[in-house]
Amino acid sequence: MIDNIIEIKNLNFGFDKNKPILKDVNLMVPKGSIYGFLGSNGAGKSTTMRLIMGLFNDDANSVKVFDTLVSNLYPEGFNKIGSLIDYPAFYDHLSGYDNLMIVCILRNLNISRIDEILELVGLTEARNIKMKKYSLGMKQRLAIGLALISDPELLVLDEPVNGLDPNGMKEVRELLIKLNKEYGVTVFISSHLLLEIEKMVTHIGIISNGEIKFQGSKEDLNELYRFQKTKFSLKNAKNFEALLAENYQVEFKNETDCEIVTNSPKQISDINKILVDHGAEIHQISPAGGLEEWFMEISKQN
């Protein structure tokens, strides 16, 4: 049984030997996960995904998909993978249905699956509408439908919510979660939109300047940065500034919220006791920050 659908070991890649794009990349994408591959523009995300899809040559045989070297996987293994690396060239004068039908004919796939795909991506009612009348969100969902037409076990998506409005992002996010939970599709998705990705992923890899800075489950990342800062919400927070500043690094966000640098659960408990003993009315204690803040911190690490 395959535990990791994608395995990358000691991958180095570049078009110029003196200017490597990827440096000793190691990546494991567990089967059944939604793996968020995060990084700024130019960090190496798209290059990595093109190597996974066999669009660039992996001369060192560092990349495996379905426990098979990418060089040995294609073309037979192509139907097990759906991808959206570059936006597909749809025919604007044809309907969404007809665009999918053309792909089915060219790839010798079952045309009867088109209706199922259109329903899955929420485009049944738009099946006969010409593409030129589709919204950007509809086009993006059809592009994902195109990636699903072969009933793949793995989806590789490069920036699938880029350029979408909040409602379009929500539609794509809900679709990917549904595919993962109800159909068991493993999703490998790259993005620089951290707050959006945080809402759907189970695992995370962070790449910066061609190097992997972190990879693991979202819980692993939460645990790693769990006690970096803690937010205390309390009545008249500023009244306790002098008390807290004596022993802690504290930042006041507004009249009720302050963030304190902490390094253990006991320290959080101690701060809570100090505040209560001095008459503070505490409303909430919670971890401060999130994926965006963690990403910035990890990306700065050498």
Side-chain angles (χ1 to χ4, degrees), residues 49 57 88 131 156 197 215-217 220 263 270 279-280 300:
M49 299 184 106
N57 290 330
M131 285 290 300
V156 178
I197 286 294
Q215 74 162 318
S217 68
D220 292 336
N263 56 32
D270 290 343
K300 289 188 295 185

Side-chain angles (χ1 to χ4, degrees), residues 54-124:
L55 299 175
F56 293 154
N57 290 330
D58 172 28
D59 295 330
N61 291 326
S62 301
V63 183
K64 286 185 176 183
V65 181
F66 298 112
D67 202 30
T68 303
L69 291 174
V70 169
S71 56
N72 297 330
L73 184 65
Y74 299 102
E76 290 79 9
F78 184 74
N79 286 343
K80 296 173 66 177
I81 304 174
S83 68
L84 182 54
I85 303 294
D86 296 306
Y87 190 76
F90 289 119
Y91 296 99
D92 282 346
H93 65 289
L94 297 179
S95 67
Y97 182 94
D98 287 342
N99 270 276
L100 292 183
M101 182 175 66
I102 288 172
V103 173
C104 287
I105 293 171
L106 291 174
R107 294 179 58 185
N108 196 28
L109 299 173
N110 192 344
I111 292 177
S112 65
R113 181 164 164 75
I114 296 176
D115 286 329
E116 178 187 348
I117 292 297
L118 288 172
E119 182 176 355
L120 188 59
V121 299
L123 291 174
T124 297

Side-chain angles (χ1 to χ4, degrees), residues 240-250 274 278:
F240 302 91
E241 182 174 5
L243 174 67
L244 293 170
E246 288 181 8
N247 298 303
Y248 302 102
Q249 182 179 335
V250 58
I274 291 170
H278 285 80

Side-chain angles (χ1 to χ4, degrees), residues 104-259:
C104 287
I105 293 171
L106 291 174
R107 294 179 58 185
N108 196 28
L109 299 173
N110 192 344
I111 292 177
S112 65
R113 181 164 164 75
I114 296 176
D115 286 329
E116 178 187 348
I117 292 297
L118 288 172
E119 182 176 355
L120 188 59
V121 299
L123 291 174
T124 297
E125 294 183 3
R127 70 194 301 277
N128 295 320
I129 297 175
K130 291 183 178 180
M131 285 290 300
K132 61 184 177 183
K133 295 185 178 180
Y134 274 31
S135 68
L136 186 57
M138 292 167 71
K139 289 179 179 178
Q140 201 74 343
R141 280 185 282 144
L142 189 68
I144 293 174
L146 183 61
L148 292 169
I149 199 70
S150 65
D151 194 19
E153 298 176 37
L154 169 66
L155 271 182
V156 178
L157 308 174
D158 191 10
E159 303 278 4
V161 296
N162 212 13
L164 298 182
D165 60 21
N167 188 58
M169 290 183 185
K170 182 173 181 289
E171 289 176 350
V172 171
R173 180 177 74 242
E174 290 177 347
L175 171 60
L176 295 179
I177 292 173
K178 179 179 180 179
L179 289 170
N180 176 257
K181 290 186 175 181
E182 297 183 16
Y183 296 85
V185 178
T186 302
V187 181
F188 184 65
I189 175 173
S190 81
S191 184
H192 64 278
L193 301 174
L194 308 177
L195 296 180
E196 180 61 28
I197 286 294
E198 186 177 16
K199 298 172 184 176
M200 73 173 86
V201 298
T202 60
H203 292 72
I204 294 168
I206 296 177
I207 187 170
S208 178
N209 296 317
E211 299 180 3
I212 299 297
K213 299 296 185 178
F214 172 88
Q215 74 162 318
S217 68
K218 193 160 70 169
E219 288 73 20
D220 292 336
L221 188 61
N222 287 340
E223 188 66 29
L224 182 62
Y225 281 86
R226 179 177 182 184
F227 303 116
Q228 288 285 312
K229 285 184 181 180
T230 302
K231 182 171 78 173
F232 287 79
S233 298
L234 62 157
K235 185 177 181 180
N236 299 322
K238 271 283 190 177
N239 293 347
F240 302 91
E241 182 174 5
L243 174 67
L244 293 170
E246 288 181 8
N247 298 303
Y248 302 102
Q249 182 179 335
V250 58
E251 179 182 0
F252 288 84
K253 297 294 185 179
N254 49 50
E255 293 181 358
T256 60
D257 296 333
C258 64
E259 293 182 359

